[in-house]
Every structure is written in structure tokens, then in C-alpha cells.
Amino acid sequence: MEGSGVVSLPQQKKPMVCVEYPGLVQDVDRMLRTLGGEEGVSRVYADPAKRLELYFRPKDPYCHPVCANRFPTTTMILRVKKKSRKKKLCDPKTGEPAPEGTISMEILGVVGTVYKFQGMSDFQYLGFISGSDGSQTSLYDRVLLKKPEKEEYFHQDIPLYIPPPIFSRLDNPVDYYYRPNINHRDGYQPPHLSSENLIGLSRARRPHNAIFVNFEDAEVPSEPHPAAVKNWKKLCTNSVDKKVEQEMRRLFNCRPIWSRNAIKANVSIHPDKLKLLLPYFAYYMLTGPWRSLWVRFGYDPRKNPEAKIYQVLDFRIRCGVKYGYNPNEMPVKAKRSTYNYSLPITLKKPGELLRVLQMLFLSVRPLEIFNSRSNFSLSVLLQESIYIFRERNLPPYRQMFYQLCDLNVDSLQEIIKRNDGAESECSERDGWCLPKTSDLLRDSMSLMIKQTIRSKRPALFTSTSAPSDSKEPLTYESGEEEEDEEEEFHPSEGSENEMETELLDYV
């Protein structure tokens, strides 16, 4: 409103988006095709983490895009009109030309989001062959399959054309800081090279001083490495660190063997400090039924049958046609897949794990969480799901390392306790349990997960592609027969339950 400094804005039915197009637009329709059309822009706008892609050759499937970043903005779109007179008039008093006309302005709306192309385009690989006279002939007519062709089409002799899906992982230039040359003092002689030190670690050993023990080792350490004690005492300088040390001591007094995930769920500590505190209280088992676990100093699980409940179980969710659902249909998604390679078109990785965990808990057992008299809250259940297995809850990852005592199902505990009081020998494969105990546990857990998925997504088990799953009752599948199929789920980098990741923290 004029005079008061307040401008009334029109009512917008749809939000307005601005795209700073990196070129001179002469044809709006052709410009929109390079952005994927209005549907493509709307699809990207619906996901705040996506970047807008621009293909300079939209008909070329091998064209690499240039990406635009998304920014919030408060920009107004104005419509300006200028009224001009056809006949120029002069001011009778001054004799100067009179103003040509009036200017009017109208606010059409407010733009809340803008896409800016700030990066460089990726390298482009064009498919063509060069002739002896310097001419170039395109290969797209011979490479791209545009219509059904006869068998002779696939037997034609053409040059190999396999461009990579991406050339550069970064679209912004970065400074690469080369390490300076080492300046040695006068008289320095390089060490003599031998076959023992030609190949070694690519970096210096991390000073965490953890003690590793194999199942075949005769004795277990009774006290930590002196350097580990020194490092922790040097770091433990405030009351918070001392309180964490007391909590860790209480955990190992109540239970001599812990996994790192279980410790992280019970002790609030920074991961960098946890790397220094664990070697102060326990040693790390590399092989055997307690592999990837931390054992209290002086405690030898191979000599104590009561350590059976602390053994580790490597469990992987089974999926396939014979189980009634494919890997892509499973609610527990894989961290990454070789067959689903995506270009770096996202600004950041969304927090999918917490959202998926909340969905699993709320959809499977909402009444138990909110109507129970227990003190367990949703956050506690989400935290415990990293290392505790419950019957009607899905694991957060496709591969989990559970301790037997953390399998909170009565039927599973009955399988574990079949030989209680009669343990005679501790083997490297089965520990203090009866042979094939791990296979029976995996079969039972797989059946529970299948029933959970059936209750959540019954449409997966009514498909005609899997007729065997329509039969009742459900039967167990042998773990030995599925050894090859389970090998499909390898641990991925950065997972919360990987033995390999934990080893790299200390080596």
C-alpha cells in the first residue's frame, strides 16, 4: 500500500521456481527439453536434496549433464508496462520534449527457490569414427536401438563404443595440495631396500594400541598395553571422561564380552574417544565364535562354558524368488548396489536410516510401543535395534552381528540352551554350542522376518511368480543350502555392524 511502506502480494496458487539458465534462450520449448520438461523440473523440485540436471543434447543418452544447486530466495516477479505516445510533444513552457508516457508495475508473485548452475559440465564423449580424409561419421544410428531389428542388426561389425557413466566426480574446481619434498640433513643416507620392506602399510599405524587375539592363541592378555593406558590417561582430563570410564567399567563387570555396537548403544561417548577407551578395558577377538567382539582382560571365553551366550551370530537377511520377495522389494534396503549406479546429483545424503527405523517400528508394533506399561520409548527401541533382535521387528541392516544373549526370542534361546550344563568342548566353529546351532538360529530368524514382511506387505506373497510361497505352513530352509546365495550380501563401507571397519580403526 503506497505511503505506508507495505506492498500487498497476490495470492499464488502454485509456488514459483527460478532457473538461472546458463545460455541465451531463444526457444522456450527447446530450453525446457534440456531440463527434462516441466515434469522433470517438478520432480526435482519435490526432492530438496536433488540437483537440477541440464542436458545440452537431450536426445543423446550418452550426454553428461551439468547440475544446478538449489538455494532459497525471496525474489519478486514484476510485470512492467510503459505507455508511450506515438506523437512526440514538447513542453510549451520550456520547449523540451515531454515525457513519452507512464510506467506501471504489477507484482505477479514471489519466487522462493532458485536453481543456479555454478559448476562445470562433465567431459563429453561423442561416438563417431574419423575417415582417412578427416571426415567424421556418427555412430549413433548404428549403436542406438530405436526400433525392433532383425538378427543381422546385432551381428554387424562396428567399433567398440562403451563410454563411462561419469568421468569426473566433482563439478567444482578444487585445490590439490601436493606434499612438499622431504629435505634431509647433510649426510643422510637412504635405507637399504630389501624384500621385507618393499610392500607395507600405506600410512602410519594408528596409535590406539589394541591387542588382537586369535582363537588358536594359547593365552589371553590380562592387562592392557602400557601405551593404551598412557593414551587414555592423557585424554581423560575432565569429569565427563571419568564418568564414561566408570560406565565402561560397570558394563564389563556385568558382562565380560561386548560388541562395539552394543557399547555405543549403552554409553554416550564420541567415536574417537571410544577407540582409545576400548583397548584400555578389553582385547579384540579376531577369529572363532567370539570374533569381532571385545573381551575383558583376563577373561578367556574358551575356558568358561558360561561364555556361550556371548558368542557372535553372523546373520544376513535372505531374499530371492524362492523366499517370495526380491532384494528391491525388501523393506530393509541395501546401502549400495552395483546395479544401481547413480551420478552425484544430490547435495547431501538424507537421514534415511532413522526414518526407515521409525517406519518399521511404528508399522509393526505401534500398540506395544505406546500402550505398554514398560518404560521403553521409541528412541530406546531404535537404539537397541542396532544389536538386539526381536521377533516382530526388522533389523536395520541386511547383515547383522548379534550376540546370542541379545536374541530376545524365547524359541531362539531354547535352541541355544539345548546343551546347558553339558558343554564339553569349545570348537572354533560352534564354540560351546551344539553343532549346526547357528544354522538353526538363522533358519528361525529368517522365518520370523518373512512372517513380519508378510504381515506388512502381503501383496508380495500373493504374486503368481512365487507359487511355492502360497502353501502353508511355512517351512524352514537349510542354512547350508543357501550359503552361496547369502554371499551376495557383502559388508559395505561405513556400516554400523562391520568387523572390517572396526579393524581398520586400530590397524
Side-chain angles (χ1 to χ4, degrees):
M1 184 178 297
E2 187 177 357
S4 62
V6 179
V7 178
S8 60
L9 298 178
Q11 295 293 332
Q12 294 183 200
K13 297 182 179 180
K14 295 183 180 180
M16 293 187 176
V17 181
C18 175
V19 178
E20 295 184 357
Y21 196 82
L24 180 61
V25 178
Q26 296 179 346
D27 189 335
V28 178
D29 294 335
R30 295 182 61 184
M31 180 271 295
L32 284 176
R33 283 197 293 269
T34 61
L35 298 175
E38 294 184 4
E39 297 81 4
V41 177
S42 301
R43 193 182 309 112
V44 174
Y45 175 75
D47 189 353
K50 283 291 185 67
R51 305 172 74 190
L52 183 62
E53 297 177 278
L54 187 152
Y55 293 87
F56 291 105
R57 305 185 310 279
K59 295 183 179 180
D60 184 1
Y62 301 106
C63 176
H64 289 175
V66 56
C67 298
N69 296 327
R70 174 173 177 161
F71 297 96
T73 184
T74 52
T75 305
M76 292 186 296
I77 298 180
L78 305 179
R79 176 185 291 166
V80 181
K81 294 182 180 180
K82 180 181 178 181
K83 295 182 179 179
S84 60
R85 298 185 179 93
K86 296 182 179 179
K87 184 178 181 181
K88 296 183 180 180
L89 301 176
C90 295
D91 192 346
K93 297 181 180 180
T94 61
E96 297 179 356
E100 294 184 0
T102 59
I103 297 177
S104 62
M105 181 184 67
E106 179 186 0
I107 301 176
L108 299 181
V110 178
V111 177
T113 303
V114 59
Y115 287 93
K116 299 182 180 181
F117 291 88
Q118 300 174 323
M120 301 179 297
S121 179
D122 195 9
F123 296 95
Q124 306 294 321
Y125 191 94
L126 303 178
F128 63 88
I129 54 176
S130 300
S132 57
D133 56 350
S135 61
Q136 282 124 11
T137 304
S138 175
L139 291 176
Y140 289 120
D141 294 336
R142 304 170 63 184
V143 172
L144 299 179
L145 187 62
K146 300 179 180 179
K147 61 180 180 178
E149 299 286 352
K150 297 182 180 180
E151 184 180 359
E152 292 79 10
Y153 175 85
F154 300 96
H155 292 285
Q156 60 179 334
D157 187 14
I158 59 175
L160 186 62
Y161 179 65
I162 309 177
I166 187 174
F167 288 92
S168 177
R169 297 185 61 185
L170 301 176
D171 56 1
N172 289 321
V174 295
D175 294 330
Y176 190 89
Y177 297 97
Y178 292 92
R179 287 183 294 180
N181 295 328
I182 301 177
N183 296 325
H184 298 286
R185 290 179 293 183
D186 296 338
Y188 172 80
Q189 296 293 334
H192 176 70
L193 296 178
S194 63
S195 58
E196 297 180 357
N197 56 12
L198 282 178
I199 300 177
L201 295 175
S202 59
R203 54 171 173 77
R205 189 180 182 90
R206 292 173 178 170
H208 299 315
N209 304 291
I211 300 179
F212 301 100
V213 175
N214 291 301
F215 185 81
E216 299 83 6
D217 295 344
E219 300 294 334
V220 298
S222 58
E223 57 185 13
H225 195 281
V229 178
K230 182 179 179 181
N231 289 340
W232 175 248
K233 293 300 182 183
K234 182 179 179 180
L235 180 66
C236 183
T237 56
N238 53 47
S239 59
V240 177
D241 294 334
K242 293 180 181 179
K243 183 179 179 180
V244 171
E245 180 182 343
Q246 295 175 358
E247 293 178 358
M248 186 73 72
R249 182 176 285 105
R250 178 184 58 83
L251 289 180
F252 278 100
N253 288 336
C254 299
R255 175 168 154 180
I257 304 176
W258 288 85
S259 65
R260 187 170 69 165
N261 286 334
I263 293 176
K264 290 167 61 178
N266 289 274
V267 178
S268 178
I269 183 175
H270 193 275
D272 293 338
K273 291 186 177 181
L274 182 61
K275 296 175 185 178
L276 297 176
L277 184 58
L278 276 175
Y280 180 70
F281 283 100
Y283 62 89
Y284 190 83
M285 289 289 290
L286 289 173
T287 58
W290 297 276
R291 63 189 180 278
S292 75
L293 302 179
W294 291 89
V295 186
R296 186 181 63 203
F297 284 114
Y299 185 83
D300 191 349
R302 301 168 298 181
K303 300 179 182 180
N304 296 277
E306 63 271 12
K308 174 178 65 175
I309 60 175
Y310 306 122
Q311 294 178 193
V312 70
L313 175 67
D314 184 358
F315 175 73
R316 309 178 187 187
I317 298 179
R318 299 170 181 171
C319 61
V321 177
K322 67 182 301 181
Y323 299 110
Y325 50 91
N326 295 323
N328 294 331
E329 298 172 332
M330 191 191 310
V332 184
K333 298 300 181 182
K335 279 185 168 290
R336 62 170 64 93
S337 174
T338 308
Y339 304 102
N340 296 327
Y341 184 85
S342 60
L343 298 175
I345 60 173
T346 56
L347 292 174
K348 57 183 178 180
K349 293 182 179 180
E352 288 291 332
L353 177 60
L354 180 59
R355 183 185 63 81
V356 171
L357 287 177
Q358 290 177 346
M359 180 269 296
L360 295 180
F361 277 97
L362 293 177
S363 60
V364 175
R365 44 186 308 180
L367 297 179
E368 294 187 18
I369 292 177
F370 296 104
N371 296 342
S372 176
R373 296 181 179 179
S374 63
N375 295 326
F376 286 133
S377 62
L378 177 59
S379 60
V380 174
L381 289 174
L382 294 177
Q383 193 173 13
E384 289 182 349
S385 66
I386 299 298
Y387 72 100
I388 294 180
F389 178 83
R390 293 182 173 87
E391 183 173 1
R392 293 166 59 188
N393 292 340
L394 295 178
Y397 305 103
R398 293 192 179 185
Q399 181 183 24
M400 298 292 297
F401 290 94
Y402 292 111
Q403 289 183 258
L404 300 186
C405 59
D406 293 327
L407 303 178
N408 287 2
V409 182
D410 294 338
S411 59
L412 300 180
Q413 291 299 324
E414 292 177 0
I415 298 176
I416 300 171
K417 298 178 180 179
R418 289 180 302 167
N419 64 333
D420 276 3
E423 298 91 345
S424 58
E425 181 182 0
C426 180
S427 62
E428 183 175 0
R429 175 180 173 85
D430 300 302
W432 293 104
C433 296
L434 293 176
K436 306 296 183 180
T437 297
S438 298
D439 298 334
L440 294 176
L441 292 174
R442 294 189 185 101
D443 293 338
S444 300
M445 294 168 66
S446 298
L447 180 62
M448 295 176 189
I449 291 177
K450 183 176 182 178
Q451 291 174 337
T452 302
I453 299 177
R454 178 193 292 269
S455 63
K456 291 183 54 183
R457 304 180 66 179
L460 294 180
F461 298 88
T462 58
S463 175
T464 56
S465 60
S468 60
D469 289 294
S470 61
K471 299 179 180 179
E472 296 289 347
L474 298 175
T475 57
Y476 292 120
E477 298 289 346
S478 174
E480 288 295 328
E481 295 177 359
E482 298 305 321
E483 188 71 23
D484 296 336
E485 187 167 345
E486 291 185 0
E487 287 298 325
E488 176 185 353
F489 305 105
H490 294 288
S492 58
E493 297 178 4
S495 174
E496 293 287 342
N497 54 11
E498 295 166 10
M499 175 181 177
E500 291 82 1
T501 303
E502 191 164 2
L503 281 174
L504 291 176
D505 289 337
Y506 296 91
V507 177

Coordinates of all heavy atoms in Angstrom, one line a residue, residues 162-207:
I162 N 31.9 -47.9 -25.7 CA 31.4 -48.1 -24.3 C 31.9 -46.9 -23.5 O 33.0 -47.0 -22.8 CB 32.0 -49.4 -23.7 CG1 31.7 -50.6 -24.6 CG2 31.3 -49.7 -22.3 CD1 32.2 -51.9 -24.1
P163 N 31.2 -45.8 -23.5 CA 31.6 -44.6 -22.7 C 31.3 -44.9 -21.2 O 30.4 -45.6 -20.9 CB 30.8 -43.5 -23.3 CG 29.5 -44.2 -23.8 CD 30.0 -45.5 -24.3
P164 N 32.1 -44.3 -20.4 CA 31.9 -44.5 -18.9 C 30.7 -43.7 -18.5 O 30.3 -42.7 -19.1 CB 33.2 -43.9 -18.3 CG 33.7 -43.0 -19.3 CD 33.4 -43.5 -20.6
P165 N 30.0 -44.1 -17.4 CA 28.8 -43.3 -17.0 C 29.1 -42.0 -16.4 O 28.3 -41.1 -16.4 CB 28.2 -44.2 -15.9 CG 29.4 -45.0 -15.4 CD 30.2 -45.3 -16.6
I166 N 30.4 -41.8 -16.0 CA 30.8 -40.5 -15.5 C 32.3 -40.4 -15.6 O 33.0 -41.4 -15.4 CB 30.3 -40.3 -14.0 CG1 30.6 -38.9 -13.5 CG2 30.9 -41.3 -13.1 CD1 30.1 -38.6 -12.1
F167 N 32.8 -39.2 -15.9 CA 34.2 -39.0 -16.0 C 34.8 -38.4 -14.7 O 35.8 -38.9 -14.2 CB 34.6 -38.1 -17.2 CG 34.4 -38.7 -18.5 CD1 33.2 -38.6 -19.2 CD2 35.4 -39.5 -19.1 CE1 33.0 -39.2 -20.4 CE2 35.2 -40.0 -20.3 CZ 34.0 -39.9 -21.0
S168 N 34.2 -37.3 -14.2 CA 34.7 -36.6 -13.1 C 33.6 -36.7 -12.0 O 32.5 -36.4 -12.2 CB 35.0 -35.2 -13.4 OG 35.4 -34.5 -12.3
R169 N 34.1 -36.9 -10.7 CA 33.1 -37.0 -9.6 C 32.8 -35.6 -9.1 O 31.9 -35.4 -8.3 CB 33.7 -37.8 -8.5 CG 33.9 -39.3 -8.9 CD 34.4 -40.1 -7.7 NE 33.4 -40.1 -6.7 CZ 33.5 -40.7 -5.5 NH1 34.7 -41.3 -5.2 NH2 32.6 -40.6 -4.6
L170 N 33.6 -34.6 -9.4 CA 33.4 -33.2 -8.9 C 33.1 -32.3 -10.1 O 33.7 -32.5 -11.2 CB 34.7 -32.8 -8.1 CG 35.1 -33.6 -6.9 CD1 36.4 -33.1 -6.3 CD2 34.0 -33.6 -5.9
D171 N 32.2 -31.4 -9.9 CA 32.0 -30.4 -10.9 C 32.5 -29.0 -10.5 O 32.2 -28.0 -11.2 CB 30.5 -30.3 -11.3 CG 29.6 -30.1 -10.1 OD1 30.2 -29.9 -9.0 OD2 28.4 -30.0 -10.2
N172 N 33.1 -28.9 -9.4 CA 33.7 -27.6 -9.0 C 35.2 -27.8 -8.8 O 35.7 -28.8 -8.3 CB 33.2 -27.1 -7.6 CG 31.7 -26.7 -7.8 OD1 31.4 -26.0 -8.7 ND2 30.9 -27.0 -6.8
P173 N 36.0 -26.9 -9.3 CA 37.5 -27.0 -9.2 C 37.9 -26.9 -7.7 O 37.4 -26.1 -6.9 CB 38.0 -25.8 -10.0 CG 36.9 -24.8 -10.0 CD 35.6 -25.6 -10.0
V174 N 38.9 -27.7 -7.4 CA 39.4 -27.8 -6.0 C 40.9 -27.7 -6.1 O 41.5 -28.0 -7.1 CB 39.0 -29.1 -5.3 CG1 37.5 -29.1 -5.1 CG2 39.5 -30.3 -6.0
D175 N 41.5 -27.1 -5.0 CA 43.0 -27.0 -4.9 C 43.5 -28.3 -4.4 O 43.1 -28.9 -3.4 CB 43.4 -25.9 -4.0 CG 43.0 -24.5 -4.6 OD1 42.9 -24.4 -5.8 OD2 42.7 -23.6 -3.8
Y176 N 44.5 -28.9 -5.1 CA 45.1 -30.1 -4.7 C 46.5 -29.7 -4.1 O 47.3 -29.2 -4.8 CB 45.3 -31.1 -5.9 CG 45.8 -32.4 -5.5 CD1 44.8 -33.4 -5.2 CD2 47.1 -32.8 -5.4 CE1 45.2 -34.7 -4.8 CE2 47.5 -34.0 -5.0 CZ 46.6 -35.0 -4.7 OH 47.0 -36.2 -4.3
Y177 N 46.6 -30.0 -2.8 CA 47.8 -29.6 -2.1 C 48.8 -30.8 -2.1 O 48.6 -31.8 -1.4 CB 47.4 -29.3 -0.7 CG 46.5 -28.1 -0.6 CD1 45.2 -28.2 -0.4 CD2 47.1 -26.8 -0.6 CE1 44.3 -27.1 -0.4 CE2 46.2 -25.7 -0.6 CZ 44.9 -25.8 -0.4 OH 44.0 -24.7 -0.4
Y178 N 49.8 -30.7 -2.9 CA 50.8 -31.7 -3.0 C 51.7 -31.6 -1.8 O 52.0 -30.5 -1.3 CB 51.7 -31.5 -4.3 CG 50.9 -31.8 -5.6 CD1 50.3 -30.7 -6.3 CD2 50.9 -33.0 -6.1 CE1 49.6 -31.0 -7.4 CE2 50.2 -33.3 -7.3 CZ 49.6 -32.2 -7.9 OH 48.9 -32.5 -9.1
R179 N 52.1 -32.8 -1.3 CA 53.0 -32.8 -0.2 C 54.4 -32.3 -0.7 O 54.9 -32.7 -1.7 CB 53.2 -34.2 0.4 CG 51.9 -34.6 1.2 CD 52.1 -36.0 1.8 NE 52.2 -37.0 0.7 CZ 52.4 -38.3 1.0 NH1 52.4 -38.7 2.2 NH2 52.4 -39.2 0.0
P180 N 55.1 -31.4 0.1 CA 56.4 -30.9 -0.3 C 57.4 -32.0 -0.2 O 57.3 -33.0 0.5 CB 56.7 -29.8 0.7 CG 55.9 -30.2 1.9 CD 54.6 -30.9 1.4
N181 N 58.5 -31.9 -1.0 CA 59.6 -32.8 -0.9 C 60.2 -32.8 0.4 O 60.4 -31.7 1.1 CB 60.6 -32.5 -2.0 CG 60.0 -32.7 -3.4 OD1 59.1 -33.6 -3.6 ND2 60.4 -31.9 -4.4
I182 N 60.7 -33.9 0.9 CA 61.4 -34.0 2.2 C 62.8 -33.5 2.0 O 63.5 -34.0 1.2 CB 61.3 -35.4 2.7 CG1 59.8 -35.9 2.9 CG2 62.0 -35.5 4.1 CD1 59.7 -37.3 3.3
N183 N 63.2 -32.6 2.9 CA 64.5 -32.1 2.9 C 65.3 -32.8 4.0 O 65.0 -32.6 5.2 CB 64.5 -30.6 3.1 CG 63.9 -29.8 1.9 OD1 64.0 -30.3 0.8 ND2 63.2 -28.7 2.2
H184 N 66.3 -33.6 3.6 CA 67.1 -34.3 4.6 C 68.3 -33.4 5.0 O 68.8 -32.6 4.2 CB 67.5 -35.6 4.1 CG 66.3 -36.6 3.8 ND1 65.6 -37.2 4.8 CD2 65.8 -36.9 2.6 CE1 64.7 -37.9 4.2 NE2 64.7 -37.8 2.9
R185 N 68.8 -33.7 6.1 CA 70.1 -33.0 6.5 C 71.3 -33.6 5.8 O 71.2 -34.7 5.2 CB 70.3 -33.2 8.0 CG 69.2 -32.4 8.9 CD 69.4 -32.6 10.3 NE 69.1 -34.0 10.7 CZ 69.1 -34.4 12.0 NH1 69.5 -33.6 13.0 NH2 68.8 -35.6 12.3
D186 N 72.3 -32.8 5.8 CA 73.5 -33.3 5.1 C 74.0 -34.6 5.7 O 74.0 -34.8 7.0 CB 74.6 -32.2 5.3 CG 74.2 -30.9 4.5 OD1 73.4 -31.0 3.7 OD2 74.8 -29.9 4.9
G187 N 74.5 -35.5 4.9 CA 75.0 -36.7 5.3 C 73.9 -37.8 5.4 O 74.3 -38.9 5.9
Y188 N 72.7 -37.5 5.1 CA 71.6 -38.6 5.2 C 71.8 -39.6 4.1 O 72.1 -39.3 2.9 CB 70.3 -37.9 5.0 CG 69.1 -38.9 4.9 CD1 68.6 -39.5 6.0 CD2 68.6 -39.2 3.7 CE1 67.6 -40.4 5.9 CE2 67.5 -40.1 3.5 CZ 67.0 -40.7 4.7 OH 66.0 -41.6 4.6
Q189 N 71.7 -40.8 4.5 CA 71.8 -42.0 3.5 C 70.5 -42.7 3.5 O 69.9 -43.0 4.6 CB 72.9 -42.9 4.0 CG 74.3 -42.3 3.9 CD 74.7 -42.0 2.5 OE1 74.3 -42.6 1.5 NE2 75.6 -41.0 2.4
P190 N 69.9 -42.9 2.3 CA 68.6 -43.7 2.3 C 68.8 -45.1 2.8 O 69.8 -45.7 2.6 CB 68.2 -43.6 0.8 CG 69.5 -43.4 0.1 CD 70.4 -42.6 1.0
P191 N 67.8 -45.7 3.4 CA 67.9 -47.0 3.9 C 68.0 -48.0 2.8 O 67.5 -47.8 1.7 CB 66.6 -47.2 4.8 CG 65.6 -46.3 4.1 CD 66.4 -45.1 3.7
H192 N 68.6 -49.1 3.1 CA 68.8 -50.2 2.2 C 67.4 -50.9 2.0 O 66.8 -51.3 3.0 CB 69.8 -51.2 2.6 CG 70.0 -52.4 1.7 ND1 70.5 -52.3 0.5 CD2 69.7 -53.7 1.9 CE1 70.5 -53.5 -0.1 NE2 70.0 -54.3 0.8
L193 N 67.0 -51.1 0.7 CA 65.7 -51.8 0.5 C 66.0 -53.3 0.4 O 66.9 -53.8 -0.2 CB 65.2 -51.3 -0.9 CG 64.8 -49.8 -0.9 CD1 64.3 -49.4 -2.3 CD2 63.7 -49.5 0.1
S194 N 65.0 -54.0 1.0 CA 65.1 -55.4 0.9 C 63.7 -56.0 0.6 O 62.7 -55.2 0.5 CB 65.6 -56.0 2.3 OG 64.7 -55.7 3.3
S195 N 63.6 -57.3 0.5 CA 62.3 -57.8 0.2 C 61.3 -57.7 1.3 O 60.1 -58.0 1.2 CB 62.5 -59.3 -0.2 OG 63.1 -60.0 0.9
E196 N 61.8 -57.4 2.5 CA 60.9 -57.3 3.7 C 60.2 -56.0 3.8 O 59.1 -55.9 4.4 CB 61.7 -57.5 5.0 CG 62.3 -58.9 5.0 CD 63.1 -59.1 6.3 OE1 63.2 -58.1 7.1 OE2 63.6 -60.2 6.6
N197 N 60.7 -54.9 3.2 CA 60.1 -53.6 3.4 C 59.7 -53.0 2.1 O 59.5 -51.8 2.0 CB 61.0 -52.7 4.2 CG 62.4 -52.5 3.5 OD1 62.5 -53.0 2.4 ND2 63.3 -51.9 4.3
L198 N 59.6 -53.7 1.0 CA 59.2 -53.2 -0.3 C 57.7 -52.8 -0.3 O 57.3 -51.8 -0.8 CB 59.5 -54.1 -1.4 CG 61.0 -54.2 -1.9 CD1 61.2 -55.2 -3.0 CD2 61.5 -52.8 -2.4
I199 N 56.9 -53.7 0.3 CA 55.5 -53.5 0.4 C 55.1 -53.4 1.8 O 55.4 -54.3 2.6 CB 54.7 -54.7 -0.4 CG1 55.1 -54.7 -1.8 CG2 53.2 -54.5 -0.2 CD1 54.5 -55.9 -2.6
G200 N 54.4 -52.4 2.2 CA 54.0 -52.2 3.6 C 52.7 -51.4 3.7 O 52.0 -51.3 2.7
L201 N 52.4 -50.9 4.9 CA 51.2 -50.1 5.0 C 51.4 -48.8 4.3 O 52.4 -48.2 4.2 CB 51.0 -49.8 6.5 CG 50.7 -51.1 7.4 CD1 50.7 -50.7 8.9 CD2 49.4 -51.7 7.0
S202 N 50.3 -48.3 3.8 CA 50.3 -47.1 3.0 C 50.2 -45.9 4.0 O 50.3 -44.7 3.5 CB 49.1 -47.0 2.1 OG 47.9 -47.1 2.8
R203 N 50.0 -46.1 5.2 CA 50.0 -45.0 6.2 C 50.6 -45.5 7.5 O 50.8 -46.7 7.7 CB 48.6 -44.5 6.4 CG 47.6 -45.6 6.8 CD 46.3 -45.0 7.2 NE 45.3 -46.0 7.5 CZ 45.3 -46.8 8.6 NH1 46.2 -46.6 9.5 NH2 44.3 -47.7 8.7
A204 N 50.8 -44.5 8.4 CA 51.4 -44.9 9.7 C 50.4 -45.6 10.5 O 49.2 -45.4 10.4 CB 51.9 -43.6 10.4
R205 N 50.9 -46.5 11.4 CA 50.0 -47.2 12.3 C 49.3 -46.3 13.3 O 49.9 -45.4 13.8 CB 50.8 -48.3 13.0 CG 49.9 -49.3 13.8 CD 50.7 -50.3 14.5 NE 49.9 -51.3 15.2 CZ 49.5 -52.4 14.6 NH1 49.8 -52.7 13.4 NH2 48.8 -53.3 15.3
R206 N 48.0 -46.5 13.5 CA 47.3 -45.6 14.4 C 47.6 -46.0 15.8 O 47.7 -47.2 16.2 CB 45.8 -45.8 14.1 CG 45.4 -45.2 12.8 CD 43.9 -45.5 12.5 NE 43.5 -45.0 11.2 CZ 42.4 -45.2 10.6 NH1 41.5 -46.1 11.1 NH2 42.1 -44.7 9.4
P207 N 47.9 -45.0 16.6 CA 48.4 -45.3 18.0 C 47.2 -45.6 19.0 O 47.1 -45.0 20.0 CB 49.0 -43.9 18.3 CG 48.2 -42.9 17.6 CD 47.8 -43.5 16.3

